[in-house]
Amino acid sequence: MLQFAIYGVLGLTYLGLAFGFFPGLRMNRATIALVGSAFLIALGVLKLQEAWDAIDAKTIVFLLSMMVVNANLSFAGFFPRSLSLLLSFTRSPLGLITSLTFGSGVLSAFFLNDTLALVFTPLTLGLTKSLNLNPIPYLLAVAGATNIGSVATLSGNPQNILIGSFSGIGYLDFARALTPIALIGLVIQVGLLWLLYPDVRSTQPCNQMPIGKARIYKPLYQKTLIIATGLLIAFAIGLPLAESALVAASLLLITRRIKPQRILKQVDWNLLVMFSGLFILSKVTQKLNLLEPFTHATGSPAGLAIVTAVLSNLISNVPAVLLLQPLIPKDGSESWLLLAAASTLAGNLTLFGSVANLIVVEAAAELGYKLSFLEHLRFGLPLTVLTLLLTFLLIG
């Protein structure tokens, strides 16, 4: 009876994580992960101390610190100014789609992709509305590029942060291996959008291109830019990621210019709670020896890529990485890189494949625009297949 209850709770928890909610209940992935973990502790699968020890402190600290850095960049006006600068070089639909793709992709390689999706979506909608352009291909460009671009570095997305903590791969080594995949993937994305949406093929300048000067808060902008640049240098020279990010965030929190509660409101506490719960669920899965079915499937590069892609779309990429990481040897650099690339690129397959996709869809819906599941799938399916094949050829 107890075993039935344990497996039932674990199964329901992962089912809830897959859908993101339970019908009739006001729960999200964070509360589902936390509640599931609590019930499993109550059922005696783990002791409270074991559950606490299962949470990877470096990952939580790194995520929290990067969110503080991103919040300061956002308040300082860095992201709108970056977009404004990109658009100053082009005035045509094809130029816009290319600028949005490479601009979002490059920025998401250094700053969390979810932040870029959150900031760029309303800016993109405002731009397309003022130019009387169909916003859908431009929204797809932002969603796809923030996922693809984030493949390139350990600081690009939450699952890469996890993999950096588990694998010990250096920041530059990781970037050296996966940046080519990110760049070629962005080129593939532009090609697909050109093929699927004839309107974006035009190279004729748009009339009355609204390139306004983005508002910046100069003292905060300068301070944040200096500290963020220093942080990236620290990553590049091999200083510990979590500790470096924590110092950078702490320096930014010493300020007279912005109230701390404004910064802390921008921290995605839901994501941090979800991560903590997922660490505990992963520990439970290991303890119950439920990873056996995946052991043989992940033994080859092709098997690992396929299993990762499928799981990333069933239960989301972060839970998939946490579920599969015990099966990968600590020194298996190729496997870690494949896990990072496959879990991220698979996020482009469906609307529910990544948080960045959902952010774009929800932000667009709030402003009156609908990006449907099938519309995304028409673009996401070939993009995912092509980028995963590219990954397998370059890494596998």
Side-chain angles (χ1 to χ4, degrees), residues 134 136-137 140 193-201 375 378:
N134 174 16
I136 298 302
L140 289 172
L193 290 170
W194 184 90
L195 187 66
L196 295 172
Y197 296 93
D199 290 349
V200 308
R201 299 174 190 173
E375 185 79 26
R378 187 170 76 109

Side-chain angles (χ1 to χ4, degrees), residues 321-396:
V321 167
L322 278 170
L323 196 63
L324 294 174
Q325 60 88 14
L327 302 178
I328 298 177
K330 178 76 173 177
D331 59 349
S333 295
E334 182 182 287
S335 296
W336 287 115
L337 292 170
L338 196 57
L339 179 64
S343 62
T344 301
L345 297 173
N348 279 327
L349 180 61
T350 70
L351 275 181
F352 311 111
S354 77
V355 175
N357 293 350
L358 295 174
I359 287 172
V360 170
V361 173
E362 290 174 7
E366 287 178 7
L367 296 172
Y369 295 92
K370 183 180 180 182
L371 177 56
S372 70
F373 180 88
L374 289 177
E375 185 79 26
H376 183 277
L377 186 65
R378 187 170 76 109
F379 161 74
L381 178 59
L383 180 63
T384 302
V385 170
L386 290 172
T387 51
L388 285 177
L389 282 173
L390 173 67
T391 300
F392 183 71
L393 289 173
L394 294 184
I395 297 179

